[in-house]
Amino acid sequence: MTTAVPDTAPGTAPAPAVRRRGLVPYWLLLPGILWLLLFFVAPLVYQASTSVQTGSLEDGFRVTWHVATYWDALTTYWPQFLRSVGYAAAATALCLLFGYPLAYLIAFRAGRWRTLLMVLVIAPFFTSFLIRTLAWKTILSDGGPVVSALGSLHVLGLTDALGVTEGHRLLATPLAVVCGLTYNFLPFMILPLYTSLERIDGRLHEAAGDLYAGPLTTFRRVTFPLSMPGVVAGTLLTFIPATGDYINAELLGSPDQKMIGNVVQSQFLRVLDYPTAAALSFLLMAVILAMVTVYLRKAGTEDVV
């Protein structure tokens, strides 16, 4: 009498069960994929089709593949593109300049005050972005204490000569817009910097001291290179949204300080020129992608962790 030999070895699951288990990660990814398709890919495709349309709001817009809209938008609004990149770069540099010492202090010197300082860093997020910018409009007002103090120190005369302020006032100047951008996006710089600095093993600093490295040499050869992931992530998180921002230029600047985000907002909601607005949005995205790609190639994509 012969016995049947099982198709699978003892202790192994049947092939269908193995295949089902292999599909589990893809099923878990499905909600995220559907979300991206619905709220990212679909609007992107719709805006791409809008950018090559012609017509008017009264007669309707039709897809005519009028790609000249991109060239017309670029040649007309290239000053706003350059201004947006310049303001965002200045704000990013200031955020790094101010944020790095604070992140270093919280990571290595705060002690029992670390939690309180971190709460203070993220506290602005509990207030509306618009309200925070309006507060800066009050702080930088012509009759405010900041203008009075800088005027008595003759600082405004220097900033007027540099072209960042005008008429011994702060509002409606490039300096006001950059200050607003710096304040509003500073937490986006501090948080990744703190995360990278907090991961650094303190024994590395002790080893540097044992090798007779001074504080400056230790920072230059040990701390800063190891914190580069935070620097790269912080600069990206600051520069990208700052480039497309329009609230700070709208509330703290004048028509001479309008950024490309203000132009897009105006074209969409006031002029109602949807093809030009969509083309400007894609041009802005292309400019940011190109700059970020070059930056990551120089910094090293392995630094973004």
Side-chain angles (χ1 to χ4, degrees):
M1 182 176 181
T2 60
T3 57
V5 180
D7 295 335
T8 58
T12 60
V18 174
R19 285 195 296 269
R20 284 196 297 269
R21 284 204 301 268
L23 292 175
V24 168
Y26 299 99
W27 286 109
L28 294 176
L29 289 173
L30 185 61
I33 294 174
L34 292 177
W35 180 275
L36 289 175
L37 289 175
L38 183 61
F39 294 106
F40 179 74
V41 177
L44 202 64
V45 172
Y46 177 77
Q47 288 295 349
S49 67
T50 301
S51 67
V52 292
Q53 293 178 1
T54 55
S56 64
L57 191 64
E58 294 79 11
D59 302 330
F61 294 95
R62 295 175 300 279
V63 177
T64 58
W65 302 104
H66 189 258
V67 295
T69 304
Y70 284 87
W71 177 251
D72 295 338
L74 183 61
T75 55
T76 303
Y77 298 108
W78 66 266
Q80 285 81 2
F81 274 106
L82 294 180
R83 190 178 299 127
S84 299
V85 173
Y87 288 173
T92 302
L94 289 174
C95 285
L96 181 61
L97 180 65
F98 297 144
Y100 200 103
L102 181 56
Y104 185 94
L105 173 67
I106 297 174
F108 298 120
R109 298 288 187 267
R112 61 191 181 94
W113 301 101
R114 177 180 298 183
T115 302
L116 176 61
L117 291 175
M118 288 301 299
V119 170
L120 293 177
V121 168
I122 65 175
F125 289 141
F126 294 96
T127 306
S128 168
F129 189 95
L130 181 62
I131 294 176
R132 283 183 274 143
T133 309
L134 286 171
W136 270 90
K137 189 173 184 178
T138 303
I139 293 171
L140 301 178
S141 60
D142 295 341
V146 175
V147 173
S148 300
L150 294 178
S152 62
L153 296 173
H154 304 287
V155 175
L156 292 180
L158 177 60
T159 56
D160 285 353
L162 294 175
V164 295
T165 60
E166 184 178 354
H168 285 70
R169 63 194 307 260
L170 291 178
L171 278 180
T173 64
L175 182 61
V177 178
V178 172
C179 286
L181 291 171
T182 302
Y183 167 75
N184 281 307
F185 294 106
L186 183 60
F188 293 97
M189 179 68 74
I190 295 175
L191 293 176
L193 283 174
Y194 165 75
T195 302
S196 289
L197 289 168
E198 195 267 339
R199 292 177 181 176
I200 297 177
D201 193 338
R203 292 174 296 181
L204 296 175
H205 294 158
E206 298 176 1
D210 292 340
L211 296 173
Y212 304 102
L216 183 60
T217 303
T218 301
F219 174 80
R220 182 171 57 88
R221 302 293 297 271
V222 178
T223 306
F224 188 75
L226 291 177
S227 66
M228 276 303 295
V231 173
V232 174
T235 51
L236 291 179
L237 290 174
T238 303
F239 178 79
I240 293 174
T243 306
D245 180 77
Y246 69 94
I247 293 179
N248 287 276
E250 183 73 25
L251 298 179
L252 303 178
S254 69
D256 293 334
Q257 284 84 49
K258 296 302 182 184
M259 300 170 64
I260 194 62
N262 300 100
V263 178
V264 174
Q265 185 261 356
S266 177
Q267 292 290 328
F268 264 124
L269 303 180
R270 298 177 187 174
V271 183
L272 304 180
D273 186 357
Y274 299 147
T276 299
L280 286 170
S281 301
F282 273 93
L283 287 172
L284 177 61
M285 183 174 63
V287 169
I288 293 176
L289 284 176
M291 297 186 68
V292 168
T293 300
V294 173
Y295 175 69
L296 289 178
R297 285 183 178 275
K298 296 294 184 181
T301 53
E302 69 274 4
D303 288 331
V304 185
V305 295

